[in-house]
């Protein structure tokens, strides 16, 4: 499982919660691209979308 380090203050949006792009529940956390996303949701998304050994990437 991917483990992300989201301790940086840039991950927290003080303007308020917005719906997570993955689960829809409110979160003050933001992804690298500034999208609202829980850390756990981001880790699960990475795991679900990372090709495993022997798998081909979909094009």
């Amino acid at each position: 499982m991917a483990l992300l380090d989201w301790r940086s203050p840039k991950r927290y949006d003080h303007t308020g919660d917005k719906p997570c792009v993955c689960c829809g529940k409110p979160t003050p956390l933001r992804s690298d691209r500034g999208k609202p996303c829980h850390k756990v949701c981001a880790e699960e998304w990475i795991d679900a979308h990372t090709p495993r050994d022997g798998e081909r990437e979909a094009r």
Side-chain angles (χ1 to χ4, degrees), residues 3 18 35 39 50:
L3 295 175
K18 293 192 177 163
K35 303 289 183 188
K39 178 182 178 286
T50 301

Side-chain angles (χ1 to χ4, degrees), residues 2-54:
L3 295 175
L4 302 173
D5 180 2
W6 278 21
R7 291 180 283 184
S8 170
K10 74 176 187 171
R11 297 286 183 190
Y12 188 83
D13 186 349
H14 293 279
T15 64
D17 291 356
K18 293 192 177 163
C20 174
V21 295
C22 294
C23 74
K25 294 179 183 173
T27 182
L29 299 175
R30 301 295 183 260
S31 71
D32 286 343
R33 296 182 178 173
K35 303 289 183 188
C37 189
H38 297 103
K39 178 182 178 286
V40 172
C41 290
E43 292 168 342
E44 288 176 357
W45 189 92
I46 289 169
D47 283 344
H49 293 88
T50 301
R52 304 284 183 250
D53 288 343

